[in-house]
């Protein structure tokens, strides 16, 4: 006689831990490929502090492949076709995306929670997709050296998710890497970032730009009703910034961006200023039998260039392209998991190398006593040549190896809503 399975066990072909950009996109793509996928998310909703809201052309083209770009752009968003740096000596265009050949020659700024709501809403139209919110994964289930799923807790009690493949998409602090014995390569970025908001006023500029001067570097993002501001500091400088006091911090913001001096009083206490400890690392091996890590869980990215979400989504697309068939056939081999890492590792490492260069050479020097360096004339001439001029825009827009959705028509049929 068949024994009844306990209520607390969920079975799926693929269990995804974490419903951030990587997990949500992987869930959507596997479900449309006809794979039975269970996504576990520890929070009750997607409303979080600012975590990065930049969808680059590479991601918009993926959404286009899925037939979802128009629907996404119907949601409230702002667009940045150009990234500029305002230096004491004048404005320099860092990347002009308008010159690129793409249907989406701009960076789309949209709150991450709206993006995640949209993606999971689309995924829920496929019968194979299940999303469990308030479900915090705790321990991998390891049997004979193979990951068979994960134990997780919910407000109703403990449960097990058993799956042919478990994917850790739970972000930069994922504990499952260590549980699986996967080793990290860590780097030590020289900067940290303070994030805060200031209101936007009538007559403010429309664009998103960097400000440098007086040993300070800030990136200012137009978020409609407010400015989201990233204020770079040297690694380890946070304590001394706090000790100098909020009044000094407000003054330094106003001195760097005089247009904002009238509203720095909105920063009433340090709770309004969040520290992002900049981290950059990557796993040596992204998998072991039964487990794959993607997104920030496989490689935390520096915020330079705002590429983290886009790389996480590219990982999800590559994983779905490569693994959908083995998952449908019920057999995922090590070589399938290796293929995902091989496809994504080189572009990730290349972008990390570029970020590291930018942090050490550009951002660090902007924070130095000399402030913004002026470019020598030959460098200016070189930068004005078409292919060189377009290179930063290309890298920011598409990364090194953009991914596309292999199967344009879904295998699974959408349920009517
Ligand atoms: C302040 C800040 C600003 C940033 N700015 C940008 C930017 O401008 N542009 C950009 O592209 N990137 C930016 N990033 C980086 C970007 O947010 C990440 O690279 C991207 O979100 C990674 O996606 P992910 O899906 O791999 O992981 P995450 O977005 O970290 O998602 C992981 C998900 O897993 C869930 N989770 C965690 N643990 C568990 C668990 N045990 N069980 C179940 N669920 C779990 C989390 O709640 C979360 O929903 C920024 C990051 C920060 C912190």
């Amino acid at each position: 006689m068949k024994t009844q399975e306990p209520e607390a066990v969920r079975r799926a072909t693929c269990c995804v831990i974490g419903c951030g950009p990587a997990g949500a996109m992987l869930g959507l793509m596997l479900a449309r490929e006809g794979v039975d996928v269970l996504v576990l998310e520890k929070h009750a909703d997607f409303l979080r502090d600012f975590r990065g809201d930049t969808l680059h052309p590479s991601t918009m083209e993926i959404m286009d492949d899925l037939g979802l770009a128009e629907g996404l752009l119907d949601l409230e968003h702002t667009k940045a076709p150009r990234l500029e740096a305002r230096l004491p000596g004048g404005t320099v265009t860092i990347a002009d995306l308008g010159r690129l050949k793409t249907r989406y020659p701009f960076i789309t700024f949209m709150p991450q929670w709206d993006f995640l709501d949209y993606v999971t809403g689309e995924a829920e139209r496929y019968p194979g997709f299940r999303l469990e919110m308030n479900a915090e994964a705790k321990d991998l289930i390891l049997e004979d050296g193979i990951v068979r799923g994960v134990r997780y807790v919910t407000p109703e009690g403990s449960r097990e998710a058993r799956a042919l493949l478990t994917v850790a998409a739970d972000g930069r602090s994922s504990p499952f890497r260590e549980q699986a014995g996967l080793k990290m390569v860590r780097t030590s970025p020289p900067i940290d970032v303070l994030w805060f908001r200031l209101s936007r006023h009538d007559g403010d500029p429309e664009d998103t730009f960097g400000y440098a001067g007086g040993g300070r570097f800030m990136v200012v993002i137009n978020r409609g009703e407010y400015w989201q501001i990233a204020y770079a500091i040297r690694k380890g400088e946070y304590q001394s910034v706090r000790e100098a006091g909020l009044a000094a911090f407000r003054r330094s913001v106003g001195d760097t961006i005089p247009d904002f001096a009238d509203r720095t009083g909105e920063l009433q206490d340090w709770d309004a200023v969040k520290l992002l400890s900049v981290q950059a690392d990557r796993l040596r091996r992204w998998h072991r039998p039964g487990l794959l890590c993607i997104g920030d869980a496989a490689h935390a990215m520096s915020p330079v260039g705002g590429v983290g979400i886009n790389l996480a989504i590219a990982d999800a697309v590559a994983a779905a392209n490569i693994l959908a068939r083995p998952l449908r056939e019920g057999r995922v081999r090590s070589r399938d998991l290796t293929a995902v890492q091989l496809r994504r590792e080189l572009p990730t490492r290349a972008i990390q190398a570029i970020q590291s260069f930018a942090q050490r050479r550009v951002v660090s020097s902007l924070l130095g006593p000399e402030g913004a360096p002026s470019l020598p004339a030959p460098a200016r001439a070189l930068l004005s040549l078409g292919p060189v001029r377009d290179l930063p825009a290309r890298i920011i827009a598409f990364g090194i190896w953009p991914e596309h959705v292999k199967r344009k028509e879904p295998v699974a049929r959408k349920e009517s809503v």
Side-chain angles (χ1 to χ4, degrees), residues 354-408:
I354 294 169
Q355 288 180 321
S356 169
F357 174 83
Q359 282 165 177
R360 282 180 200 287
R361 292 295 172 86
V362 185
V363 182
S364 288
S365 80
L366 294 177
L367 300 181
E370 316 81 37
S374 62
L375 277 182
R380 277 185 191 274
L382 187 66
L383 285 174
S384 67
L385 296 176
V388 180
R389 183 187 49 205
D390 292 345
L391 200 58
R394 240 171 236 300
I395 291 173
I396 288 174
F398 301 114
I400 302 291
W401 193 334
E403 296 291 341
H404 278 279
V405 178
K406 206 157 78 185
R407 190 186 292 277
K408 299 288 187 279

Side-chain angles (χ1 to χ4, degrees), residues 17-23 40-43 48 50-54 112 135-137 169-172 176 195 276 294-297 306-310 312:
I17 306 172
C19 197
L40 304 176
E41 169 54 50
K42 71 177 177 184
H43 288 102
R48 273 350 109 62
F50 177 71
R51 292 194 307 175
D53 304 342
T54 52
Q112 206 182 101
E136 182 168 4
D170 54 326
R172 48 165 58 199
F176 305 109
W195 288 100
L276 168 65
I294 61 168
D296 273 18
V307 293
I309 297 170
N310 303 278

Side-chain angles (χ1 to χ4, degrees), residues 198 249-251 253-254 260-268:
L198 291 176
F249 181 69
R250 288 197 206 111
R251 231 179 359 261
V253 174
F260 290 176
D262 58 350
R263 61 200 87 162
T264 55
E266 293 169 13
L267 301 173
Q268 289 283 321

Side-chain angles (χ1 to χ4, degrees), residues 60-370:
M60 290 309 303
E61 289 193 357
I62 288 167
M63 296 305 282
D64 197 33
D65 291 345
L66 294 168
L68 300 177
E70 274 185 35
L72 186 68
L73 291 177
D74 283 343
L75 304 178
E76 203 172 324
H77 66 279
T78 53
K79 293 188 180 90
R82 203 174 305 107
L83 298 179
E84 292 182 334
R86 299 191 181 165
L87 307 173
T91 297
V92 177
T93 299
I94 296 170
D96 183 357
L97 280 75
R99 297 174 51 84
L100 301 177
K101 279 203 192 100
T102 167
R103 290 183 69 185
Y104 308 97
F106 45 79
I107 293 176
T108 309
F109 288 93
M110 175 181 293
Q112 206 182 101
W113 52 86
D114 285 346
F115 176 73
L116 295 176
D117 273 335
Y118 179 70
V119 170
T120 52
E122 284 299 320
E124 262 152 16
R125 299 171 67 186
Y126 293 99
F129 182 80
R130 278 173 291 163
L131 169 61
E132 225 178 302
M133 302 299 283
N134 270 322
E136 182 168 4
K138 290 288 185 190
D139 299 301
L140 295 176
I141 301 170
L142 270 156
E143 290 171 358
D144 303 325
I146 299 173
V147 176
R148 303 285 188 194
V150 69
R151 294 189 186 83
Y152 64 103
V153 291
T154 71
E156 291 79 41
S158 302
R159 290 184 184 157
E160 277 183 22
R162 292 196 160 255
L164 178 63
L165 177 68
T166 302
V167 177
D170 54 326
R172 48 165 58 199
S173 309
S174 173
F176 305 109
R177 304 169 295 196
E178 204 181 324
Q179 286 185 22
L182 301 175
K183 300 268 180 304
M184 304 286 300
V185 182
R186 294 184 199 279
T187 63
S188 32
I191 56 164
D192 282 331
V193 175
L194 302 177
W195 288 100
F196 55 92
R197 292 174 178 197
L198 291 176
S199 58
R200 281 188 75 236
H201 294 180
D202 288 345
D204 277 357
E206 286 297 320
D207 47 350
T208 284
F209 42 82
Y211 263 107
R216 287 287 163 217
F217 175 63
M218 290 155 68
V219 176
V220 178
I221 302 170
N222 175 358
R223 301 305 318 274
E225 289 183 357
Y226 61 90
W227 294 104
Q228 184 78 48
I229 302 179
Y231 180 111
I233 56 173
R234 290 184 182 284
K235 187 93 166 158
E237 196 189 349
Y238 178 61
Q239 207 42 46
S240 56
V241 172
R242 291 269 314 232
E243 277 161 21
L246 198 56
F249 181 69
R250 288 197 206 111
R251 231 179 359 261
S252 94
V253 174
D255 289 349
T256 314
I257 313 181
D259 289 348
F260 290 176
D262 58 350
R263 61 200 87 162
T264 55
E266 293 169 13
L267 301 173
Q268 289 283 321
D269 54 43
W270 285 108
D271 286 348
V273 182
K274 301 267 181 319
L275 170 69
L276 168 65
S277 173
V278 173
Q279 190 180 323
D281 56 36
R282 62 173 189 276
L283 285 175
R284 268 187 218 288
R285 198 179 152 93
W286 295 19
H287 57 90
R288 65 173 286 166
L291 178 78
L292 173 69
C293 299
I294 61 168
D296 273 18
H299 47 75
M301 307 299 292
S302 148
V304 170
V307 293
I309 297 170
N310 303 278
L311 284 187
I313 289 172
D315 287 359
V317 174
N321 283 342
I322 293 168
L323 299 174
R325 190 161 158 190
L327 282 165
R328 270 199 310 271
E329 291 173 353
R331 186 157 175 247
V332 177
R333 288 158 296 194
S334 275
R335 70 162 189 249
D336 299 318
L337 302 178
T338 304
V340 177
Q341 175 171 355
L342 281 180
R343 178 146 190 115
R344 295 303 312 154
E345 186 174 8
L346 187 66
T348 304
R349 289 178 71 157
I351 295 290
Q352 285 185 329
I354 294 169
Q355 288 180 321
S356 169
F357 174 83
Q359 282 165 177
R360 282 180 200 287
R361 292 295 172 86
V362 185
V363 182
S364 288
S365 80
L366 294 177
L367 300 181
E370 316 81 37

